[in-house]
Amino acid sequence: MSIPRHVLIGAARRMLLICLAAIAASGFSPKAQAAGANLAPQTKIRVTVLQWMPVKGEFEQWSALGGEFVVSETGTVVLPVIGAVPVGTMDGTALANEIAKRLQAQMGMVKRPDTTVEIIEYPPIYVVGDVTTPGEYKYRLGMTVLQALALGGGELRSNAGSGPSQLEIQLVGDAQGYDAQILLSKARIARLQAEMSGETEIRFPEPAGGGLDIAAANDIFAQERIIFSARANELDRQSKSLTELCALLNAEIGSFKEKINATDATIKSAETDLANVTILVEKGIAIASRKSDLERIVSSYRMDRLDQVTAVMRAQQGIAAATRELNGLRDKLHTDTAIELQTEQANLTQLVLKQQVAQKRLVDTLSTASRERSLGKDQAIKFTILRKVNREVNEIAAVDSTALVPGDVVKAAFAAGPSPETVSSMAPPATNAKTVISDEAGQ
């Protein structure tokens, strides 16, 4: 009995997909999960769900059920349809089987769907302590403490006998940078205070002793004077414009009032003529049309006067609006300046605190470097791993070859050595001092 061609093709496709899934799960991909490794929180995974479709004779991927997910801090993965799945101590293969089992139960399927779990990105590791560049680094399978130390730039060394270390130079530069920032902040505060009080000159603070030279301080003061002058000129220009507008409107009001007086005289004369014509019309001496013409003339004069009064009122409204805008301009500038002053004072406080911290770090670093130079030998470095297990952080002693797991924090610290005073007090005669120092440093 011959097997139909479409059945053979479908079976071949199914076997090919199963082989590809097995290869992906076995670790050939650089992002694949290592066999037996637990899925730590913050691990980013990709879930793929396939189902064999006998009618089509091929596998069909259920993209709505798969995708990329992140293991939560509580150790769960939230998936469509089945919801939260506790990861616990499962590896990628066990999690894939659990997802397939839950999908089968949830959807009432006869056969479990083919499910794979692939790791896209591990949680990072952190290197802190006496290293050159502490920070966060990507985790790779099989990573050791020594490799993590290499990522952190190696041990923090003072390079005794070869001048200041890179850290010392950096700390000195930071301290000088804070000197410049603090002077700039003080100069800005002086300028804002001058604006608040309406002064024409800025009283700048004297540059404190430090790494900032007089030329740099004068440059900062010159820039603040330019800003002070520009803002004052802008206020004067806007105030002058509004004042000139008020003067122009007052001149228009005066002109309209003169027109109103002239119109009043004309109206009075026309009303006199109308009264005389009315008497003549009543006596039959003048015709009624003459009276009607005078009445229209008087009405026209009165309308002109009303327009002139309205124009005066509009000009007065313009003066009031310009005055309000001028006062509002000054009030807004005063308010904005007060807010800037308050913000800059807070910034100055923060800069002073940062400068104090930087100076303390510099003093501590110089003291440590001096102690190392006095001892004449590098101190041994010790490693500690902070590892989170079941929501608890455990501190584990480690050596160079200790293997790391995702999320580990590697602490590198020099072993505490005796101070120069302690060494000198412990040393018997001068001839044996070197031996005592070497023994203490090697512990």
Side-chain angles (χ1 to χ4, degrees), residues 166-333:
Q166 182 179 359
L167 178 60
E168 293 172 12
I169 296 174
Q170 178 184 351
L171 291 177
V172 171
D174 290 344
Q176 293 178 348
Y178 283 125
D179 288 339
Q181 293 182 43
I182 288 175
L183 181 59
L184 175 59
S185 181
K186 288 182 177 179
R188 189 170 296 151
I189 288 175
R191 188 251 301 168
L192 293 172
Q193 288 175 339
E195 291 179 353
M196 287 282 293
S197 57
E199 298 178 4
T200 57
E201 291 293 335
I202 307 174
R203 293 192 293 270
F204 290 110
E206 291 294 332
L212 192 68
D213 57 12
I214 301 301
N218 290 334
D219 289 341
I220 292 175
F221 296 157
Q223 292 174 3
E224 292 300 321
R225 288 192 184 96
I226 292 174
I227 297 175
F228 178 78
S229 177
R231 291 173 65 135
N233 292 338
E234 178 65 18
L235 178 62
D236 291 341
R237 184 164 52 252
Q238 295 184 12
S239 300
K240 183 179 179 182
S241 176
L242 292 173
T243 302
E244 291 176 351
L245 177 60
C246 290
L248 178 61
L249 292 175
N250 280 321
E252 288 184 358
I253 290 175
S255 176
F256 283 127
K257 285 183 177 180
E258 291 179 0
K259 289 183 179 180
I260 289 173
N261 292 334
T263 303
D264 288 342
T266 304
I267 291 174
K268 185 176 180 181
S269 175
E271 287 177 343
T272 301
D273 292 341
L274 177 60
N276 294 332
V277 169
T278 300
I279 294 173
L280 294 176
V281 170
E282 291 176 351
K283 292 180 179 181
I285 298 176
I287 59 177
S289 60
R290 174 61 178 164
K291 178 182 176 182
S292 299
D293 292 339
L294 289 174
E295 287 177 345
R296 284 194 294 271
I297 292 173
V298 170
S299 177
S300 175
Y301 287 155
R302 288 174 177 171
M303 291 178 63
D304 291 342
R305 187 183 187 283
L306 183 61
D307 292 339
Q308 293 163 2
V309 170
T310 302
V312 170
M313 294 176 63
R314 288 176 178 170
Q316 290 173 343
Q317 289 178 352
I319 292 174
T323 303
R324 285 195 305 271
E325 186 175 353
L326 179 60
N327 295 333
L329 180 67
R330 292 169 179 167
D331 292 341
K332 184 177 183 302
L333 179 61

Side-chain angles (χ1 to χ4, degrees), residues 66-117:
E68 296 182 359
F69 306 92
V70 177
V71 180
S72 68
E73 289 295 330
T74 58
T76 60
V77 178
V78 180
L79 301 173
V81 179
I82 60 177
V85 179
V87 175
T89 59
M90 290 189 291
D91 59 6
T93 303
L95 179 59
N97 293 334
E98 180 65 18
I99 293 172
K101 184 172 96 174
R102 294 194 176 205
L103 284 173
Q104 181 186 19
Q106 182 72 23
M107 304 177 66
M109 303 171 63
V110 177
K111 185 180 178 182
R112 292 184 186 179
D114 293 307
T115 307
T116 60
V117 173

